[in-house]
Amino acid sequence: MKNLLKKKIIIPIIACVIFFSTTAFKNDFFEIAKQIEIFTTLFKELNMNYVDETNPGDLMDTAIKSMLADLDPYTNFMNEQDVEAARINNTGDYTGIGAKIKTLKNNLVVIEPYKDYPADKAGLKAGDEIIKVGNTLVENYKESAGDLLKGAPDTSIEVTYKRQGKTQTATIKRAEVEIKAVPHFSLINDKTGYIVLSRFSRKASAETNYALRDLKAQGAEKIILDLRGNPGGLVNEAINIVNLFVPKGQLVVTTKSKVKKYNRTYYTKKDPIDTEIPLVILLDGNSASASEIVSGALQDLDRAVIVGSRSFGKGLVQRPKQLTYGTQVKITISRYYTPSGRCIQSLDYWNRNEKNEAIRVTQDNYNAFKTKNGRQVFDGGGVLPDVSMGSDKNSPITKAIVNNDLVFNYATDYYYKHDVKDVNNLKLSDKDFTDFKNYLKTNNFSFKTDTEKALYKAFETSKKEALNDNIETDFNVLMSNLTQSKTSVIDENKDYLLKLITEDIVKQYVYREGLYEYYKIHDSEIKKGTEILSNTSTYQGYLR
């Protein structure tokens, strides 16, 4: 009788749960279906009745991008070309000419030829502007112009390019290209090994494992792992790399989501290579995602000393979802947390300012956490190094200079105008910096700050209100002062800009491989890391 009574009570409860959860799902489903129907109807009527010819593909592309723009910058629609680019990024393998290419409106610019690959063997250099591939003019090609360089292994293609104003041709024989996750590892001195990890592709942990074992065999008793500029990649590879230095069964990262199945905890699963070897990790503002999982976990576990500048602060995990016609959508599904419980996300995409820009998490809102040894660390704003060097962020003006390729173009011109005999001793002077500033003027570099935009807007309003006669003089003085301030900002970033220019020049002479050798001699973060590792008590002092 009791069992029967229990059943009578339990069944209605289960039924209610099913009813409410199903109803909630149906309500959500109905709202989605309703909005899709509205959009489909609108889309059809617009394309059928608009006064001018419409391009349905372009309209849909704009609609999708506008919808996703309200979320975060990592939730993206991926067409077939984007899906292929993501595959290359994850595997590091593709067939092509073996060069980093930038697509511009009228040409394809060689940013970096990879040593001993087809483009390099054909004589192409950084700065070359490809204007024609086979019989196709790049400026007339409506699709992705970079696809013109792709093709089956051992097939040849003729390219026409401009170098320093002169038009030349070259025949390039395509080949399979392997982009290494670890492009360089070597000894800095008899006891200190240096490993550069540039991406978290599927080969990242295997290549890092090999580099670590090789350096130990050469006599390395300390390691510097360089994650600067590493944008991240596969989470499992990050966990495996942490596993090289910590025991099996150690918590590395936790992900939390509104979808229960995405709530996961990731532990190390393998036997480590070395849990005792002193380790320094180098970070900068472009170290993101999986780079922050590795550095954040090893910092929380007091397993490494972090040197450099604050990391990017991504803190979000994405997963690709298959769509139709070979497309995908990459969706942010969760946040990740380091072993101490930190989420290092620096931008709040769900709370925006009046310009619809994501709000940066400020230091006042950071929360304190404890490492394994009880050291205080903080969430928000990326991984903060134990030893801070360089700037956490560059000014908008210097970013504009870099984004407009002015550093790269100046370095290319420098390469053709100078004959540097000993690249490892290259050091740009004050005269070179003055020359670079003149180069900015010659190339009409202009950058309007938010302050300038606001003042211009206020002045235009004053004209409409017939008040400009009284304030025009003051306005001109303010604008003159702002121009001087912008020049001052460029001067304040002199060391940073010269460093970028020097790196591009060195690559022109000795490729990326030679750049890492240059770093070992001149780079301040590597010098600091080596100094910390040379003194056991200093190293241990950072971890206590």
Side-chain angles (χ1 to χ4, degrees):
M1 187 72 180
K2 279 184 180 179
N3 288 339
L4 186 61
L5 186 61
K6 275 185 182 177
K7 284 182 182 178
K8 285 183 177 179
I9 294 169
I10 290 170
I11 289 170
I13 291 172
I14 293 172
C16 285
V17 170
I18 292 171
F19 173 77
F20 283 119
S21 61
T22 307
T23 303
F25 170 75
K26 282 184 176 177
N27 284 341
D28 207 27
F29 182 80
F30 172 75
E31 185 61 27
I32 293 170
K34 173 185 169 184
Q35 296 304 325
I36 289 173
E37 187 176 352
I38 291 170
F39 179 78
T40 303
T41 309
L42 180 148
F43 190 62
K44 183 182 74 172
E45 294 295 338
L46 186 66
N47 281 288
M48 287 176 62
N49 300 303
Y50 188 70
V51 63
D52 293 322
E53 284 296 318
T54 58
N55 185 315
D58 288 346
L59 285 175
M60 184 59 76
D61 191 57
T62 302
I64 291 171
K65 288 177 180 175
S66 297
M67 175 175 63
L68 298 182
D70 276 347
L71 303 175
D72 63 74
Y74 314 111
T75 298
N76 295 317
F77 171 71
M78 302 166 70
N79 59 30
E80 290 174 275
Q81 290 79 17
D82 296 330
V83 172
E84 174 62 12
R87 184 198 66 77
I88 291 169
N89 190 54
N90 286 339
T91 62
D93 298 330
Y94 71 100
T95 300
I97 68 169
K100 185 177 180 182
I101 302 290
K102 182 170 183 175
T103 304
L104 298 179
K105 186 178 180 182
N106 296 321
N107 53 39
L108 297 166
V109 178
V110 179
I111 300 298
E112 180 184 351
Y114 303 141
K115 187 178 181 181
D116 296 330
Y117 277 110
D120 180 39
K121 289 179 179 178
L124 265 66
K125 293 186 176 294
D128 288 349
E129 302 172 21
I130 299 173
I131 57 175
K132 191 177 179 182
V133 180
N135 294 320
T136 305
L137 284 170
V138 173
E139 64 179 339
N140 294 338
Y141 194 70
K142 301 301 180 187
E143 306 300 323
S144 177
D147 291 343
L148 293 169
L149 301 173
K150 296 176 183 177
D154 297 324
T155 58
S156 295
I157 192 73
E158 185 177 77
V159 298
T160 304
Y161 62 94
K162 285 185 178 179
R163 176 184 295 169
Q164 298 292 289
K166 295 180 181 178
T167 302
Q168 303 182 48
T169 60
T171 300
I172 306 175
K173 189 176 183 180
R174 300 182 183 98
E176 291 184 358
V177 178
E178 179 188 7
I179 304 172
K180 288 189 171 293
V182 176
H184 179 91
F185 68 90
S186 62
L187 289 173
I188 294 173
N189 55 43
D190 291 345
K191 301 294 183 184
T192 309
Y194 175 57
I195 302 172
V196 179
L197 178 57
S198 63
R199 63 178 64 213
F200 285 83
S201 63
R202 291 193 183 114
K203 300 173 184 175
S205 58
E207 290 182 21
T208 307
N209 184 322
Y210 177 84
L212 179 59
R213 289 177 181 275
D214 191 285
L215 289 171
K216 282 169 63 70
Q218 291 182 54
E221 297 175 359
K222 308 145 190 173
I223 295 292
I224 293 176
L225 178 62
D226 195 341
L227 296 180
R228 291 176 297 179
N230 186 322
L234 302 174
V235 172
N236 285 331
E237 291 299 306
I239 294 155
N240 290 338
I241 287 167
V242 172
N243 199 170
L244 299 175
F245 303 101
V246 304
K248 187 178 183 179
Q250 173 62 56
L251 174 66
V252 176
V253 66
T254 302
T255 60
K256 297 179 183 179
S257 169
K258 73 172 185 180
V259 181
K260 191 175 181 181
K261 68 178 179 179
Y262 297 142
N263 293 335
R264 298 189 62 182
T265 51
Y266 295 87
Y267 293 85
T268 51
K269 295 180 178 179
K270 304 174 184 178
D271 292 324
I273 301 299
D274 195 327
T275 61
E276 300 295 330
I277 192 167
L279 176 64
V280 162
I281 294 178
L282 305 183
L283 289 183
D284 66 10
N286 293 316
S287 305
S289 190
S291 293
E292 295 171 302
I293 290 175
V294 170
S295 55
L298 293 173
Q299 185 180 52
D300 283 0
L301 299 172
D302 297 301
R303 184 60 191 86
V305 175
I306 314 297
V307 174
S309 53
R310 189 186 288 278
S311 67
F312 181 82
K314 187 181 176 191
L316 300 169
V317 179
Q318 286 72 45
R319 176 168 293 187
K321 296 288 185 180
Q322 301 293 333
L323 303 176
T324 55
Y325 299 105
T327 63
Q328 292 181 5
V329 60
K330 189 173 68 171
I331 303 175
T332 296
I333 59 167
S334 57
R335 288 185 176 85
Y336 65 76
Y337 298 79
T338 64
S340 69
R342 291 186 287 167
C343 178
I344 49 77
Q345 185 178 337
S346 63
L347 290 172
D348 184 353
Y349 299 103
W350 290 266
N351 290 293
R352 296 174 179 259
N353 60 22
E354 63 279 359
K355 294 181 182 177
N356 201 35
E357 297 169 333
I359 295 172
R360 183 168 292 278
V361 180
T362 61
Q363 198 161 347
D364 295 338
N365 296 319
Y366 292 168
N367 297 299
F369 294 81
K370 296 287 186 181
T371 68
K372 188 176 180 181
N373 289 342
R375 294 187 299 141
Q376 196 173 58
V377 288
F378 298 91
D379 65 0
V383 176
L384 179 66
D386 302 302
V387 182
S388 290
M389 298 181 68
S391 174
D392 286 346
K393 61 177 182 177
N394 302 308
S395 72
I397 295 175
T398 55
K399 284 182 181 178
I401 291 171
V402 173
N403 292 339
N404 281 284
D405 296 323
L406 291 163
V407 166
F408 173 75
N409 292 338
Y410 177 81
T412 300
D413 284 356
Y414 186 99
Y415 170 76
Y416 285 108
K417 290 176 181 176
H418 298 77
D419 184 18
V420 178
K421 300 297 184 185
D422 185 2
V423 176
N424 279 336
N425 286 320
L426 174 66
K427 186 172 176 60
L428 298 182
S429 64
D430 290 343
K431 182 179 177 298
D432 292 316
F433 189 63
T434 301
D435 187 44
F436 175 65
K437 288 193 292 184
N438 290 332
Y439 180 83
L440 295 180
K441 291 177 184 176
T442 304
N443 285 270
N444 300 316
F445 170 69
S446 62
F447 175 77
K448 278 190 178 179
T449 63
D450 286 344
T451 305
E452 283 176 295
K453 291 173 186 175
L455 285 172
Y456 271 118
K457 187 175 180 180
F459 186 63
E460 289 302 313
T461 303
S462 74
K463 285 182 181 179
K464 293 175 185 177
E465 296 175 348
L467 298 171
N468 56 305
D469 288 345
N470 297 324
I471 65 171
E472 187 167 4
T473 302
D474 292 337
F475 171 78
N476 290 332
V477 171
L478 278 171
M479 296 310 296
S480 175
N481 290 339
L482 271 172
T483 301
Q484 291 177 17
S485 295
K486 287 196 291 185
T487 302
S488 298
V489 169
I490 293 174
D491 288 336
E492 288 165 9
N493 284 272
K494 171 186 168 184
D495 291 343
Y496 172 70
L497 289 166
L498 285 180
K499 181 173 181 281
L500 295 181
I501 295 167
T502 302
E503 289 172 357
D504 275 343
I505 294 170
V506 171
K507 280 192 293 183
Q508 291 265 13
Y509 281 98
V510 289
Y511 304 89
R512 184 166 291 274
E513 290 83 350
L515 176 62
Y516 296 123
E517 292 295 335
Y518 182 89
Y519 281 162
K520 284 162 55 178
I521 299 169
H522 298 282
D523 187 79
S524 56
E525 281 86 355
I526 291 176
K527 287 181 179 179
K528 186 64 178 180
T530 307
E531 178 191 320
I532 291 168
L533 291 170
S534 68
N535 189 310
T536 303
S537 61
T538 300
Y539 173 78
Q540 291 295 339
Y542 283 110
L543 302 177
R544 291 195 189 103

